[in-house]
Amino acid sequence: MAAAFQQQEDSIRQYMQGWLCQNEERLLAVLSPKVHIIESYGPEYVGTSEVRQWFRVWHAHGRVLRWDALHFLHQGTETVVKWYFECQYDGNVDGFDGLSLVRFDDRGRIAVIEEYQSKTVHHRACAGATNP
């Protein structure tokens, strides 16, 4: 099972590197033809033709500066990856923490990615509060 989990991690890292290096073929190589990607803020892409179009349009405006995989959790054909993402888009630099739930098909290709985002800067909203 460890070898399968390592393959899943390698595929996720290759997907991230495709974005980082602006390498469309590297990215598409690990995706199922029927892949379904849901971004953390709502857009979704179904099939590699939509992913290819998204990739090209996105890179016309921006570039990924960092996408670091920080931690992986595995269960069968699903992997959760915690990551940090930073990009420059339309001249603005932004970064955030995130999680992706990644499901793999029976051939080991990425079939589904569901992304979730968190602000990088956190604050203690109730620090110093007293009990009511």
Side-chain angles (χ1 to χ4, degrees), residues 90-102:
D90 285 339
N92 299 309
V93 175
D94 193 18
F96 56 91
D97 297 316
L99 293 173
S100 291
L101 172 58
V102 182

Side-chain angles (χ1 to χ4, degrees), residues 28 31-37 45-52:
L28 294 173
L31 301 179
S32 163
K34 297 178 181 179
V35 67
H36 185 183
I37 299 174
Y45 312 93
V46 178
T48 52
S49 62
E50 287 186 21
V51 172
R52 182 185 309 269

Side-chain angles (χ1 to χ4, degrees), residues 85-128:
F85 178 85
E86 187 175 290
C87 70
Q88 181 177 7
Y89 195 85
D90 285 339
N92 299 309
V93 175
D94 193 18
F96 56 91
D97 297 316
L99 293 173
S100 291
L101 172 58
V102 182
R103 293 185 188 98
F104 293 85
D105 68 13
D106 58 357
R107 296 182 62 192
R109 299 172 300 189
I110 295 172
V112 176
I113 301 174
E114 296 177 35
E115 293 183 351
Y116 300 91
Q117 175 183 340
S118 174
K119 300 289 184 192
T120 299
V121 177
H122 300 270
H123 64 280
R124 295 180 55 204
C126 294

Side-chain angles (χ1 to χ4, degrees), residues 60-80:
H61 295 269
R63 126 183 116 95
V64 176
L65 303 174
R66 286 180 61 186
W67 201 355
D68 303 327
L70 305 173
H71 186 72
F72 294 92
L73 296 172
H74 303 282
Q75 183 174 347
T77 59
E78 296 182 336
T79 296
V80 174

Side-chain angles (χ1 to χ4, degrees), residues 13-27 55 58-59 62-67 85-86:
R13 284 190 177 100
Q14 181 172 330
Y15 174 82
M16 292 173 160
Q17 283 295 313
W19 282 97
L20 187 62
C21 299
Q22 298 183 17
N23 187 324
E24 182 179 307
E25 293 311 314
R26 182 178 183 137
L27 170 111
F55 186 86
W58 195 94
H59 280 100
R63 126 183 116 95
V64 176
L65 303 174
R66 286 180 61 186
W67 201 355
F85 178 85
E86 187 175 290

